[in-house]
Amino acid sequence: MSVDAIAATAAITSAVSGVVGAIVAAVVASVRTKSRKAIDQDKAMRDGMRALLWRELKNIHAEAMANGGMTVANRRHLENVYGAYHGIDGNGTGTRMFEDSMQTPVIDE
């Protein structure tokens, strides 16, 4: 193989390597951007869902306090709502409303 052929092969290899490297860098950047966006969207959904569940806990609590207790169906609903709320890292005032509501007596429907 001549020196010119070796130089041409080296130039082609270098060019192909540069193009492949650029493509890989672009794909990695795209994946990172999409991953970051997905993480941000997931956090927003969890925060929104936690806020809605907290509001439902507040409504159930207010009704239980106003009625002096809860029906079996409402108690079951409270347990389901609180389980979902707690499952997405809700606690604090939501937990206090759950515990306070659960201390009320069961009333007839």
Side-chain angles (χ1 to χ4, degrees):
M1 192 183 257
S2 71
V3 173
D4 289 336
I6 293 172
T9 302
I12 291 170
T13 302
S14 178
V16 169
S17 178
V19 169
V20 169
I23 291 170
V24 168
V27 168
V28 168
S30 175
V31 168
R32 280 187 182 156
T33 299
K34 288 179 182 177
S35 293
R36 183 73 236 158
K37 186 175 181 181
I39 289 168
D40 291 346
Q41 287 175 336
D42 183 56
K43 183 181 180 326
M45 287 291 265
R46 289 172 65 87
D47 290 349
M49 185 57 67
R50 190 168 34 263
L52 292 171
L53 290 167
W54 186 89
R55 171 56 81 180
E56 183 65 7
L57 287 171
K58 184 177 181 217
N59 292 341
I60 295 167
H61 179 263
E63 184 178 342
M65 295 303 110
N67 294 337
M70 292 187 301
T71 64
V72 171
N74 286 350
R75 189 174 293 267
R76 208 172 298 129
H77 178 61
L78 171 62
E79 289 170 339
N80 289 334
V81 170
Y82 180 73
Y85 174 79
H86 188 70
I88 55 173
D89 301 326
N91 53 35
T93 56
T95 298
R96 285 194 295 277
M97 288 186 289
F98 168 76
E99 291 170 350
D100 195 26
S101 298
M102 290 300 285
Q103 294 299 316
T104 64
V106 175
I107 57 176
D108 292 330
E109 295 187 39

